[in-house]
Amino acid sequence: MSNKGTVYLVGAGPGDPELLTVRAMRLIMTADVVVYDRLVSPGILALIPGGVARIDVGKRPGSHPVPQKDINRILIQLARAGRRVVRLKGGDPMIFGRGGEEVRALAENGVAVETVPGITAAQGCAASLNLALTQRGIASCLVYLTGHAQHSRTPDTDWARLVRARATLAIYMGAAKIGAIAARLMGAGLAGATPALAVCNATLPRQRQILSDIAHLAEAVAKARFEGPVLFVIGDAAGAISTHGVFQDAPETEQAAASRA
Ligand code: SAH
């Protein structure tokens, strides 16, 4: 078969199997082996046909069961053995998914690779709440950020520039650092009353979300005791969900409610 020996770097989307692309679904159905990450939902794994080999290389925060270089090695070996490999990643493989590292390793080893985009978490969160991430006159720019390295001594983010741009910020991997991130944003001039949304397990049946403001976000998140991946949407555009009626789960703090009143 002409496609043998290829690695397909496939985005699985935020969780709901309905949000897979047609191409992703087709590749899953015809793979020899699926190598998948922790954020690929059980509903999507259930679509993998019974006879197809599966390899779980999932990582958890703070522990890395399969180091990246071993993942690369597994992909290269499978492809060299002539297998049709689906490398399945949560969301989009090229947004905070280390897709670039895998492409480079595969290319360096002469392995054919094709990328299949997926719906990234920010888009899944926004759609699940009918939320527009850009809005005329309110937010003309959207920025994807990682919250992961924000305690490092050399801040790699120009917070003041983001605040000046009045960007909608979609913050990935920020749950552990959200207090520090909020402090940096306010230190850079962001008003404390700026709407701040946290969405956990977006597009899955166990989705939950809170709407707060940036000044009270960390406290609201601590209270919420989320279990699962959390994405933050910060900026005036996020405030729209309080008015358009799909918002159900809002244990916001009393101060946040008062400061908005
Ligand atoms: N490649 C992925 C992102 C991987 S980084 C993508 O494009 O979506 C992992 C982070 O993604 C998590 O810490 C969380 O911030 C976010 N995330 C992924 N799936 C999510 C979901 N269903 N709900 C909320 N956040 C999610």
Side-chain angles (χ1 to χ4, degrees):
M1 253 181 14
S2 61
N3 278 328
K4 279 220 166 184
T6 298
V7 173
Y8 297 89
L9 200 53
V10 179
D16 181 352
E18 292 287 315
L19 296 177
L20 281 169
T21 62
V22 173
R23 177 110 185 105
M25 182 71 187
R26 272 202 190 117
L27 287 167
I28 289 170
M29 301 312 284
T30 55
D32 293 320
V33 52
V34 177
V35 180
Y36 64 94
D37 279 345
R38 182 177 62 95
L39 280 178
V40 177
S41 69
I44 288 173
L45 295 178
L47 297 172
I48 302 172
V52 174
R54 306 163 179 223
I55 301 177
D56 177 2
V57 293
K59 306 181 196 75
R60 267 155 231 289
S63 80
H64 298 262
V66 183
Q68 187 65 49
K69 67 173 176 11
D70 293 347
I71 296 175
N72 296 347
R73 195 160 44 227
I74 290 168
L75 296 175
I76 292 162
Q77 278 170 359
L78 288 168
R80 283 191 174 153
R83 314 294 293 279
R84 192 173 157 86
V85 185
V86 167
R87 171 69 176 112
L88 199 54
K89 289 171 172 283
D92 182 275
M94 297 312 200
I95 297 180
F96 305 126
R98 303 188 76 165
E101 293 168 48
E102 291 180 15
V103 166
R104 193 179 331 124
L106 293 164
E108 279 170 5
N109 285 275
V111 173
V113 52
E114 177 190 318
T115 300
V116 179
I119 293 176
T120 193
Q123 267 59 61
C125 288
S128 71
L129 298 167
N130 292 336
L131 176 69
L133 293 170
T134 62
Q135 280 193 66
R136 275 188 295 162
I138 296 177
S140 59
C141 132
L142 167 64
V143 177
Y144 299 136
L145 283 173
T146 170
H148 195 57
Q150 301 309 339
H151 265 334
S152 65
R153 277 170 190 245
T154 45
D156 49 3
T157 303
D158 184 346
W159 298 104
R161 190 165 165 218
L162 295 176
V163 171
R164 273 198 311 277
R166 301 191 63 205
T168 301
L169 306 179
I171 303 183
Y172 292 69
M173 294 176 282
K177 306 275 170 69
I178 197 59
I181 293 168
R184 290 215 171 152
L185 281 167
M186 287 187 287
L190 191 69
T194 303
L197 170 68
V199 188
C200 181
N201 291 316
T203 79
L204 292 164
R206 55 186 190 278
Q207 173 169 343
R208 291 176 60 208
Q209 56 273 322
I210 52 170
L211 178 64
S212 183
D213 59 32
I214 191 69
H216 303 97
L217 177 62
E219 179 192 338
V221 168
K223 263 194 186 169
R225 297 183 185 282
F226 287 138
E227 285 176 18
V230 179
L231 183 113
F232 298 96
V233 181
I234 294 167
D236 289 332
I241 64 163
S242 60
T243 56
H244 65 32
V246 297
F247 199 75
Q248 295 150 358
D249 178 6
E252 66 179 344
T253 62
E254 284 165 22
Q255 294 101 306
S259 67
R260 222 190 335 279

